[in-house]
Amino acid sequence: MPSNSKLDGQVALITGGTSGIGRETALALADRGASVAIVGRNRKRGRRVAREIDARNGDGWAELYIADFASRKSVRNLAVAFRDRHDRLDVLVNNAGTFRHRRSETGDGIEATFAVNHLAPFLLTHLLVDTLVESAPARVVTVTSELHERGAIDFSDLGCERDYDGMEAYSQSKLANVLFTRELAERLRGTGVTATAVNPGFVPGTGFTREASIRNRLLLGLFSVLPLPFTKNVEEGAETVIEAAASPEFSDVTGEYVSDGVIAEASDKAHDDDVRRRLWDVSAGLVGISPDYPR
């Protein structure tokens, strides 16, 4: 069970916070006293969650930001809006994600799975890193998946244009999450800001597969109601995310892959330092920022 450590006076920003694991994480951090900013695409659902947080949050506050992580402009607007309102950020939870059955591109011309799952949190973290450092100690928690073990970073085809496979694209993006976390941790050493990549387990009840095939949506729907030993419900899946974001036991943990509430061993490919550094530089170019952040 996640610890009940108090977060009074802290500010948390949670992407994908209007449903699933993000919602559960937002509620849990609010219960500990944090003020919570949730990010989502559905305004009606987001307002409902924000009211739910307000009703149980004591002296803290809840607010909603609408953003589309398939758009670089939307991610930039989100960061500007948050910085205009707040001068501190103690916890950033990069939770928003997608799974696409068919290949599609964003308006920026990037394959959608890679754009939403990796480039959006990469860019958002860059845009908020100064606020995180000024608020230190602070934490960046990026939600990945055990499927990162199946992933491979193919620099010749990051957009999966050759023989697109939804699972391969997703696995590549989840491996990118772990590599991003490890490089971010190196760049932030000594600042008081930590970075962890968290595997919540197999949680079929989340909404990230809304773009999956009908067959896969039906299968996951079945998994979500059957008592299968390899699945977790949303509350169970959120526990490790909450621990990484709030537990004192993780206050000094950085650059690690966390699964089932403990530090675990990521795949060998997640430990390739050359790929890690190259992915950082390529990602910076794709979103139009300097690869030198944070200095």
Side-chain angles (χ1 to χ4, degrees):
M1 292 293 293
S3 67
N4 290 316
S5 54
K6 299 302 291 181
L7 302 176
D8 295 326
Q10 294 195 21
V11 176
L13 177 64
I14 302 167
T15 70
T18 60
S19 64
I21 288 172
R23 172 184 171 275
E24 290 298 322
T25 301
L27 293 173
L29 299 188
D31 284 346
R32 289 156 176 77
S35 295
V36 180
I38 56 174
V39 183
R41 293 188 299 171
N42 186 305
R43 190 176 300 276
K44 182 178 179 180
R45 186 167 58 206
R47 286 174 172 168
R48 185 166 59 245
V49 176
R51 288 194 297 268
E52 190 176 2
I53 292 171
D54 271 332
R56 59 202 284 176
N57 200 16
D59 294 330
W61 45 257
E63 63 183 5
L64 170 66
Y65 294 85
I66 300 299
D68 180 0
F69 271 34
S71 163
R72 284 200 303 263
K73 181 179 180 180
S74 186
V75 174
R76 289 182 177 277
N77 289 343
L78 164 63
V80 169
F82 182 85
R83 292 198 310 265
D84 283 348
R85 296 181 187 179
H86 306 291
D87 59 4
R88 72 172 302 111
L89 177 59
D90 301 275
V91 182
L92 171 61
V93 180
N94 292 313
N95 168 70
T98 188
F99 180 97
R100 305 291 177 110
H101 173 60
R102 293 184 177 86
R103 188 182 185 278
S104 61
E105 291 188 356
T106 68
D108 301 311
I110 306 294
E111 190 276 316
T113 303
F114 193 73
V116 172
N117 292 359
H118 168 60
L119 292 179
F122 177 88
L123 177 59
L124 182 62
T125 304
H126 159 73
L127 297 171
L128 296 176
V129 70
D130 289 343
T131 307
L132 286 159
V133 171
E134 291 167 3
S135 307
R139 308 185 193 191
V140 179
V141 178
T142 301
V143 177
T144 182
S145 166
E146 188 175 12
L147 288 171
H148 85 274
E149 297 177 0
R150 294 181 51 174
I153 305 298
D154 183 356
F155 288 105
S156 69
D157 190 28
L158 285 176
C160 302
E161 296 184 61
R162 299 191 298 264
D163 299 322
Y164 180 83
D165 179 275
M167 187 61 71
E168 289 181 5
Y170 181 77
S171 299
Q172 175 183 244
S173 72
K174 294 291 102 178
L175 174 58
N177 290 153
V178 183
L179 291 163
F180 160 66
T181 294
R182 294 191 62 239
E183 181 64 14
L184 181 67
E186 286 299 314
R187 290 170 177 253
L188 289 174
R189 287 195 188 278
T191 66
V193 181
T194 62
T196 52
V198 173
N199 166 35
F202 181 34
V203 187
T206 63
F208 87 99
T209 56
R210 61 176 61 91
E211 303 292 340
S213 66
I214 293 176
R215 177 180 178 275
N216 284 340
R217 291 201 302 271
L218 290 173
L219 186 61
L220 288 169
L222 182 62
F223 283 166
S224 68
V225 297
L226 293 177
L228 301 172
F230 57 86
T231 65
K232 293 183 178 181
N233 60 35
V234 172
E235 292 81 4
E236 292 167 337
E239 287 182 358
T240 297
V241 181
I242 297 164
E243 284 288 274
S247 172
E249 295 179 6
F250 284 92
S251 61
D252 296 320
V253 172
T254 193
E256 299 288 356
Y257 171 70
V258 181
S259 182
D260 286 327
V262 298
I263 296 172
E265 192 65 33
S267 71
D268 290 343
K269 286 175 283 191
H271 290 279
D272 189 321
D273 293 342
D274 291 335
V275 171
R276 183 189 84 201
R277 289 187 285 265
R278 184 180 177 188
L279 177 65
W280 184 280
D281 290 347
V282 169
S283 300
L286 288 171
V287 298
I289 63 172
S290 168
D292 294 333
Y293 102 88
R295 297 181 184 278

